[in-house]
């Protein structure tokens, strides 16, 4: 057979196939490609691949030497693609039934010619059955659905990472995030509550970033730091000559600056009564008058307020207007303290570490036991306290690893005694940390049910660990 022998290939091209002939040449002993059958120009089957026999239930060499036309006649191949290739002297693609059991098998038959244009061989490749195609299509659709879901998750993470500073893993924060997403594009007032330092400002910024007002301004006002005599002018602005010392050009207030954007009033519980009254009027009318002004200015803004106070209690005590409270409390978002979502501590700590290392040009990391301390500490100052501690560590620690001895003195009483940290296996050290966590949790909660809830473990596990680590005279 000449090296220049060619055939009409899968793509309708004449291709030099010396390498292919070296593989399919009946005189050699090389193994054929998967699911391939070779016959001569008269239809005598010369060779089949081992996988062909296995896949279609033929005994070894049971069809070699037989005529493709005879196998077509007895129903072994219906239709017989090899026979059709010989008849038509061209590439044939068809679905066929093989050995009466394998139906709808997609098969491609190819004629091989010599240099004189004489048919020499017919090669058939079985690709996949229609059943397999259906399975592939189903799997492909399932893969598309999975990829779409994965893409949505990635998009959400990217949105959270690029437009907000919120990092979390806990289920409680996942629920909070869902509520934020569902309410971001509404006009409803939002009241954010939570202890000092939990991240109320970060949540407000995240809501703004997810909303259709993201192109507008985000104006944040801490009501607790405004002087009582200046708070009205700071919020509502004033016209020129409004009071002694006022700017001759007047001033636009913070509320007016938030037009077409978001106004965030932090520490709303600090507002004096007369400003509460004006804020209620603003919410109802969405108009303001600057101090010494005579015209009403229409505004369009989203109002988000936050407080670490119990406003319901403030209302009962007469310190906060009930009508204003009900106007503000349309959507309530409560941020749990860090001690109730300890799984959020490591990602937050690493986020702060990366940021401060970049800011101060440092390369440091946490030791495992330092990270363990961060997880078990109660954080009365919440995320803000954690952030401040990490910044302090990055600035002051000169070693490449931040470890427990680097902690400031005010944290010393919260750490496992130094003697227990020297030597010992990892299991022993982790056991010591676990004991401290269980004892501290039981001291705070007093019951196995409450300890289990705080630490996110079963009551049975909590009872077993309390029995192990808590002295008998104090254990349940």
């Amino acid at each position: 057979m000449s090296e220049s022998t060619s055939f009409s290939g899968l793509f309708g091209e004449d291709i030099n196939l010396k390498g292919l002939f070296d593989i399919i040449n009946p005189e050699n002993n090389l193994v054929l490609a998967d699911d391939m059958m070779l016959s001569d120009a008269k239809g005598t089957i010369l060779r089949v691949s081992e996988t062909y026999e296995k896949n279609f239930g033929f005994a070894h060499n049971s069809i070699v030497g037989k005529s493709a036309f005879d196998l077509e006649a007895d129903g072994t191949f219906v239709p017989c693609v090899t026979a059709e290739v010989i008849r038509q002297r061209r590439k044939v693609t068809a679905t066929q039934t093989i050995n009466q059991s394998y139906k709808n098998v997609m098969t491609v038959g190819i004629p091989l010619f010599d240099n004189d244009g004489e048919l020499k061989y017919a090669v058939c490749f079985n690709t996949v059955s229609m059943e397999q195609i259906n399975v592939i299509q189903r799997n492909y659709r399932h893969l598309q659905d999975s990829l779409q879901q994965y893409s949505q998750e990635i998009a959400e993470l990217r949105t959270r990472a690029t437009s907000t500073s919120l990092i979390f893993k806990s289920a409680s924060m996942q629920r909070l995030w869902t509520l934020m997403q569902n309410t971001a594009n509404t006009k409803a007032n939002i009241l954010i509550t939570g202890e000092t330092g939990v991240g109320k400002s970060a949540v407000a910024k995240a809501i703004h970033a997810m909303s259709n007002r993201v192109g507008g301004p985000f104006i944040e006002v801490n009501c607790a730091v405004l002087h009582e005599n200046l708070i009205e002018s700071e919020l509502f602005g004033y016209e020129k000559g409004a009071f002694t010392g006022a700017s001759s050009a007047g001033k636009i207030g913070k509320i007016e600056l938030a037009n077409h954007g978001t106004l965030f009033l932090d520490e709303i519980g600090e507002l004096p009564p007369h400003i509460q009254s004006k804020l209620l009027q603003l919410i109802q009318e969405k108009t303001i008058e600057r101090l010494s002004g005579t015209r009403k200015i229409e505004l369009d803004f989203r109002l988000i307020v936050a407080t670490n106070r119990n406003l319901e209690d403030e209302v009962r005590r007469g310190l906060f207007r009930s009508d204003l409270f009900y106007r503000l409390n349309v959507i309530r978002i409560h941020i749990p303290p860090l001690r109730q979502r300890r799984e959020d501590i490591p990602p937050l700590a690493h986020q702060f570490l990366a940021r401060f290392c970049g800011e101060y040009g440092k390369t440091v990391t946490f030791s495992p036991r330092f990270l363990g301390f961060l997880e078990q500490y109660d954080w009365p100052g919440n995320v803000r306290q954690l952030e401040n501690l990490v910044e302090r560590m990055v600035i002051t620690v000169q070693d490449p690893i931040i470890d427990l001895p680097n902690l400031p003195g005010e944290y010393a009483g919260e750490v496992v005694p130094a003697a227990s940290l020297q030597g010992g296996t990892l299991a022993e050290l982790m056991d010591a940390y676990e004991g401290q966590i269980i004892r501290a949790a039981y001291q705070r909660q007093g019951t196995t049910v409450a300890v289990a809830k705080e630490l996110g473990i079963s009551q049975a596990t909590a009872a077993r660990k309390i029995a192990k680590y808590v002295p008998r005279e104090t254990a349940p």
Side-chain angles (χ1 to χ4, degrees):
M1 191 177 301
S2 169
E3 289 186 7
S4 62
T5 301
S6 63
F7 75 104
S8 181
L10 286 169
F11 303 101
E13 301 172 324
D14 283 345
I15 302 174
N16 187 298
L17 287 176
K18 177 181 184 299
L20 177 61
F21 285 127
D22 287 341
I23 295 175
I24 65 174
N25 191 335
E27 283 75 29
N28 68 37
N29 296 317
L30 295 177
V31 178
L32 294 178
D34 285 354
D35 293 353
M36 189 167 98
M37 182 170 69
L38 174 72
S39 70
D40 62 19
K42 295 180 179 180
T44 302
I45 297 174
L46 303 174
R47 294 189 65 186
V48 295
S49 63
E50 291 181 7
T51 57
Y52 190 100
E53 294 176 331
K54 293 177 181 178
N55 289 342
F56 299 108
F58 292 110
H60 181 59
N61 285 335
S62 62
I63 59 173
V64 173
K66 293 184 178 181
S67 168
F69 296 98
D70 292 341
L71 294 171
E72 179 183 47
D74 68 15
T76 301
F77 296 104
V78 181
C80 181
V81 175
T82 296
E84 289 299 320
V85 168
I86 294 172
R87 292 188 191 105
Q88 300 181 34
R89 296 171 58 85
R90 64 179 179 84
K91 184 182 76 172
V92 175
T93 301
T95 58
Q96 62 178 352
T97 299
I98 300 177
N99 212 10
Q100 300 180 354
S101 298
Y102 302 90
K103 302 179 183 299
N104 298 323
V105 178
M106 186 70 69
T107 303
V108 178
I110 303 168
L112 302 179
F113 301 94
D114 63 18
N115 285 344
D116 297 326
E118 295 295 326
L119 179 66
K120 298 292 291 184
Y121 298 101
V123 182
C124 285
F125 302 89
N126 293 311
T127 55
V128 293
S129 68
M130 294 305 296
E131 288 80 2
Q132 289 173 303
I133 290 174
N134 291 334
V135 171
I136 291 171
Q137 289 176 333
R138 287 195 298 270
N139 290 340
Y140 177 69
R141 287 192 293 269
H142 177 71
L143 178 61
Q144 281 187 314
D145 293 341
S146 298
L147 287 174
Q148 184 177 5
Q149 180 180 356
Y150 178 71
S151 297
Q152 290 172 346
E153 292 175 357
I154 293 297
E156 179 180 322
L157 290 172
R158 285 176 175 169
T159 299
R160 191 191 305 168
T162 56
S163 63
T164 79
S165 59
L166 298 182
I167 299 292
F168 53 81
K169 291 177 60 179
S170 63
S172 60
M173 290 299 291
Q174 291 285 354
R175 290 191 294 270
L176 184 147
W177 177 261
T178 300
L179 177 60
M180 291 165 57
Q181 289 179 309
N182 292 340
T183 58
N185 283 328
T186 69
K187 294 182 178 181
N189 300 327
I190 294 178
L191 172 62
I192 303 174
T193 60
E195 296 179 3
T196 298
V198 291
K200 296 186 286 291
S201 176
V203 167
K205 291 174 182 176
I207 294 171
H208 174 75
M210 289 188 290
S211 75
N212 50 17
R213 296 177 178 269
V214 65
F218 178 85
I219 303 299
E220 180 174 355
V221 181
N222 188 333
C223 301
V225 301
L226 295 177
H227 193 280
E228 186 173 351
N229 295 332
L230 299 176
I231 189 169
E232 185 172 2
S233 62
E234 285 292 320
L235 290 176
F236 294 89
Y238 57 85
E239 300 291 353
K240 60 181 180 180
F243 52 87
T244 303
S247 170
S248 59
K251 183 180 179 179
I252 295 177
K254 299 290 188 182
I255 297 173
E256 193 173 344
L257 288 175
N259 197 25
H260 303 301
T262 300
L263 175 65
F264 174 52
L265 299 180
D266 199 4
E267 304 298 348
I268 190 71
E270 303 290 340
L271 286 180
H274 72 286
I275 300 299
Q276 292 181 28
S277 177
K278 294 201 66 171
L279 181 59
L280 176 63
Q281 183 181 6
L282 169 67
I283 293 173
Q284 292 172 336
E285 300 178 3
K286 284 296 175 76
T287 62
I288 63 167
E289 289 184 19
R290 297 175 186 171
L291 288 180
S292 297
T294 57
R295 67 184 180 95
K296 291 185 178 293
I297 303 173
E298 292 188 1
L299 298 176
D300 172 30
F301 61 86
R302 171 68 170 289
L303 180 62
I304 303 176
V305 301
T307 182
N308 61 358
R309 292 187 179 186
N310 185 329
L311 288 188
E312 289 94 335
D313 184 55
E314 298 282 291
V315 169
R316 285 191 294 269
R317 295 167 57 194
L319 301 177
F320 199 86
R321 292 182 63 116
S322 61
D323 47 3
L324 176 59
F325 170 73
Y326 294 123
R327 286 284 188 175
L328 297 175
N329 191 34
V330 179
I331 304 295
R332 183 76 162 263
I333 294 179
H334 179 73
I335 307 175
L338 205 51
R339 63 182 175 275
Q340 293 179 5
R341 47 187 180 99
R342 296 184 185 275
E343 58 267 51
D344 293 337
I345 294 173
L348 281 168
H350 281 108
Q351 179 197 34
F352 297 144
L353 181 69
R355 192 178 87 207
F356 292 127
C357 280
E359 288 184 11
Y360 297 110
K362 302 283 289 287
T363 303
V364 294
T365 188
F366 299 127
S367 73
R369 62 180 184 178
F370 185 86
L371 196 58
F373 164 77
L374 297 183
E375 290 185 82
Q376 62 85 31
Y377 184 65
D378 271 352
W379 301 108
N382 291 291
V383 179
R384 184 181 299 130
Q385 182 185 6
L386 174 62
E387 180 181 15
N388 291 342
L389 176 64
V390 173
E391 181 177 17
R392 184 173 178 178
M393 294 293 93
V394 171
I395 294 172
T396 60
V397 174
Q398 301 303 311
D399 299 322
I401 298 177
I402 300 174
D403 206 352
L404 289 178
N406 304 126
L407 278 169
E410 60 265 31
Y411 292 91
E414 302 292 335
V415 181
V416 176
S420 67
L421 299 175
Q422 297 175 357
T425 65
L426 176 61
E428 291 170 342
L429 293 174
M430 294 304 293
D431 189 70
Y433 289 132
E434 184 178 64
Q436 183 180 12
I437 293 170
I438 294 297
R439 286 190 293 272
Y442 180 69
Q443 185 177 7
R444 287 190 300 273
Q445 303 294 348
T447 68
T448 58
V449 173
V451 169
K453 184 176 181 180
E454 176 182 331
L455 300 182
I457 58 179
S458 69
Q459 184 182 2
T461 300
R464 186 174 66 253
K465 292 185 180 296
I466 289 171
K468 177 181 178 181
Y469 295 115
V470 179
R472 290 186 178 180
E473 59 270 18
T474 59

